[in-house]
């Protein structure tokens, strides 16, 4: 990790008690978004191993926000794999996983969360809330017609993606997660996460260096620059600075109730296949797979795995292994596909039937009288 790790360690060593006991941002997302930034396209030119064309969806659920996503493979594929990134990364994280997943015949969609990558970036930290992000990604899933999906999600991609599943469980056939959680404010967090959320995430100067410090291998300078590319200046980093403090760490955090509901309503009743693919070198989510294996019915009997020699961003350390394990998970767990969406075709016949019933009843009544 070199210089990246040195910066991380220096910031962590200087953490003060006040910085580690920050308050939950409870007022985020309560006012309209008044200013939105957009990273110029030239910042995304000539990125290493990233030949994928951009796709955009215009969201209007919370302001007028353009959301970017990658959409590879045949749109007519029987199944789709949805890849969700966390922070401060973007869909660039999946550049080495997408080709083998597409080669296996799947449609592969990888969105950029709002505030990251090529997606628009509301300017104020208070513009970002957990619930707004769930709404933005839920809106995208519906708008581009995602169905018969297998989700793979890491970091904040899990916090948000799993909540999208809880809104639309019928659209998802399987779930695989790595180095993520769905916290409800009462599990407690590792000291490493407190240092990250309270200090390192607020002061780290370059997100490419941060990603490099969070993997086992060494990223090339071009790869590091690709992770910084979406953020031309500090003004573009509102989301990436605020996200760590939005994690529901304590009972008074926002979205605790919503996450508890997702556990109770969906994941503790989830019978469909569920796989954990956590890594061996991530201090933040160490042992985080166990709660899923214990509480999710669909996790029983699955080939859960700890990916060796991989850090927090395991997609950078072991992308081909992850892709193969996801494909093997799908092969081992064939699922009946959803039928086409139901429509109101029978509504007219229902009205006619009800009309005939009503007329018959009326005639009977008249005869009786």
């Amino acid at each position: 990790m070199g210089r990246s790790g040195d910066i991380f360690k220096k910031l962590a060593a200087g953490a003060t008690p006040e910085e580690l006991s920050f308050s939950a941002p409870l007022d985020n997302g309560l006012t309209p978004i008044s200013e939105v930034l957009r990273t110029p396209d030239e910042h995304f030119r000539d990125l290493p191993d990233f030949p994928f064309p951009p796709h955009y969806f215009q969201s209007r659920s919370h302001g007028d926000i353009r959301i970017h996503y990658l959409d590879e493979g045949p749109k007519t594929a029987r199944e789709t794999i949805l890849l969700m990134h966390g922070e401060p990364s973007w869909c660039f994280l999946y550049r080495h996983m997408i080709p083998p997943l597409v080669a296996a015949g799947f449609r592969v969609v990888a969105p950029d969360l709002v505030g990251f990558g090529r997606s628009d970036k509301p300017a104020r930290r208070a513009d970002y809330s957990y619930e707004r992000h769930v709404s933005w990604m839920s809106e995208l899933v519906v708008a581009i017609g995602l169905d018969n999906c297998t989700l793979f999600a890491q970091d904040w991609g899990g916090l948000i993606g799993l909540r999208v599943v809880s809104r639309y469980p019928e659209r998802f056939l399987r779930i695989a997660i790595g180095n993520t959680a769905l916290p409800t404010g009462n599990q407690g967090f590792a000291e490493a996460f407190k240092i990250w959320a309270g200090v390192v995430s607020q002061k780290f100067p370059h997100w490419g260096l941060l990603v490099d410090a969070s993997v086992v291998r060494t990223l090339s300078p071009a790869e590091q620059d690709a992770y910084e590319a979406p953020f031309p200046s500090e003004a573009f980093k509102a989301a990436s600075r605020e996200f760590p403090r939005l994690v529901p760490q304590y009972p008074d955090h926002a979205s605790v109730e919503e996450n508890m509901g997702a556990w109770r309503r969906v994941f503790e009743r989830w019978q469909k296949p569920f796989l954990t693919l956590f890594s061996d070198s991530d201090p933040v989510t160490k042992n985080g797979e166990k709660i899923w294996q214990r509480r999710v019915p669909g996790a029983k009997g699955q080939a859960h795995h700890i990916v060796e020699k991989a850090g927090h961003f395991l997609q950078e350390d072991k992308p081909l292994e992850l892709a193969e394990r996801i494909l093997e998970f799908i092969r081992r767990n064939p699922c009946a596909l959803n039928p086409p969406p139901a429509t109101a075709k029978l509504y007219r016949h229902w009205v006619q039937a009800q009309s005939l019933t009503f007329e018959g009843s009326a005639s009977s009544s008249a005869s009786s009288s």
Side-chain angles (χ1 to χ4, degrees):
M1 292 186 289
R3 177 182 168 226
S4 307
D6 292 341
I7 296 173
F8 195 107
K9 292 175 182 177
K10 182 177 180 180
L11 292 173
T16 66
E18 292 75 19
E19 290 172 322
L20 298 180
S21 59
F22 55 87
S23 300
L26 297 178
D27 295 329
N28 285 28
L30 298 182
T31 58
I33 294 171
S34 59
E35 182 182 5
V36 179
L37 306 179
R38 180 172 296 170
T39 305
D41 286 343
E42 55 263 29
H43 284 257
F44 301 101
R45 291 176 185 158
D46 302 320
L47 299 178
D49 303 316
F50 197 74
F52 313 108
H55 299 264
Y56 296 101
F57 163 69
Q58 201 71 27
S59 166
R60 292 181 172 82
S61 60
H62 301 289
D64 198 358
I65 305 293
R66 191 178 77 169
I67 299 174
H68 169 257
Y69 62 99
L70 301 181
D71 197 341
E72 296 293 310
K75 307 300 181 291
T76 56
R78 289 164 56 84
E79 297 188 29
T80 296
I81 298 174
L82 176 63
L83 303 173
M84 297 285 293
H85 76 85
E87 64 94 18
S89 63
W90 58 294
C91 66
F92 179 79
L93 181 66
Y94 287 106
R95 66 196 180 283
H96 294 308
M97 292 178 61
I98 291 172
L101 298 177
V102 170
F106 294 93
R107 180 186 182 186
V108 180
V109 173
D112 282 336
L113 298 175
V114 173
F116 299 86
R118 299 184 84 144
S119 289
D120 282 350
K121 300 168 180 67
R124 298 178 307 151
R125 290 175 64 147
D127 291 332
Y128 296 94
S129 71
Y130 193 159
E131 297 310 306
R132 277 185 172 174
H133 275 279
V134 175
S135 294
W136 279 318
M137 289 296 108
S138 297
E139 189 181 6
L140 175 70
V141 164
V142 173
I144 66 175
L146 299 190
D147 198 2
N148 294 310
C149 292
T150 295
L151 171 70
F152 177 75
Q154 177 261 346
D155 191 84
W156 262 98
L159 275 76
I160 295 168
L162 290 165
R163 286 284 308 285
V164 174
V165 172
S166 76
R167 287 191 178 185
Y168 303 111
E170 73 280 6
R171 291 177 180 260
F172 292 85
L173 303 178
R174 310 170 196 84
I175 299 171
I177 59 171
N179 296 355
T180 190
L182 192 64
T184 54
N186 57 3
Q187 295 96 340
F189 276 75
E191 189 69 16
F193 183 83
K194 294 180 182 179
I195 293 172
W196 158 246
V199 184
V200 176
S201 65
Q202 307 305 304
K203 299 180 179 181
F204 214 90
H206 188 285
W207 289 139
L209 291 173
L210 185 279
V211 175
D212 182 62
S214 304
V215 297
V216 172
R217 75 180 184 90
T218 299
L219 299 186
S220 70
E223 289 173 322
Q224 293 181 28
D225 288 343
Y227 281 110
E228 183 70 7
F231 311 105
S233 72
E234 183 63 29
F236 289 75
K237 294 184 176 181
S240 56
R241 299 294 188 199
E242 191 70 356
F243 254 45
R245 299 187 173 195
L246 295 177
V247 176
Q249 301 173 77
Y250 309 112
D252 64 341
H253 263 75
S255 298
V256 164
E257 294 87 354
E258 289 85 351
N259 281 7
M260 291 176 67
W263 273 107
R264 178 178 54 81
R265 291 182 300 100
V266 178
F267 297 112
E268 290 182 340
R269 304 170 63 87
W270 184 267
Q271 301 289 339
K272 289 182 277 189
F274 194 105
L275 180 70
T276 60
L277 294 170
F278 282 56
S279 67
D280 66 349
S281 300
D282 180 21
V284 174
T285 62
K286 186 177 179 60
N287 296 320
E289 72 281 357
K290 294 180 180 179
I291 188 173
W292 298 99
Q293 296 171 12
R294 185 175 68 251
R295 294 178 63 178
V296 179
K300 303 297 186 291
Q302 295 296 335
H304 304 292
H305 184 72
I306 298 296
V307 181
E308 296 181 353
K309 299 180 180 179
H312 182 66
F313 297 100
L314 67 172
Q315 303 97 315
E316 279 291 354
D317 283 316
K318 294 297 178 71
L320 299 184
E321 178 183 339
L322 276 176
E324 180 52 37
R325 289 190 181 278
I326 291 169
L327 292 174
E328 182 62 20
F329 172 55
I330 294 172
R331 288 191 290 264
R332 289 184 177 184
N333 295 275
C335 296
L337 301 183
N338 292 329
T343 65
K345 292 179 182 178
L346 298 179
Y347 181 75
R348 176 171 50 84
H349 303 293
W350 182 86
V351 170
Q352 290 176 344
Q354 295 301 308
S355 176
L356 291 172
T357 301
F358 176 77
E359 290 174 0
S361 299
S363 298
S364 298
S365 299
S367 299
S368 300
S369 60

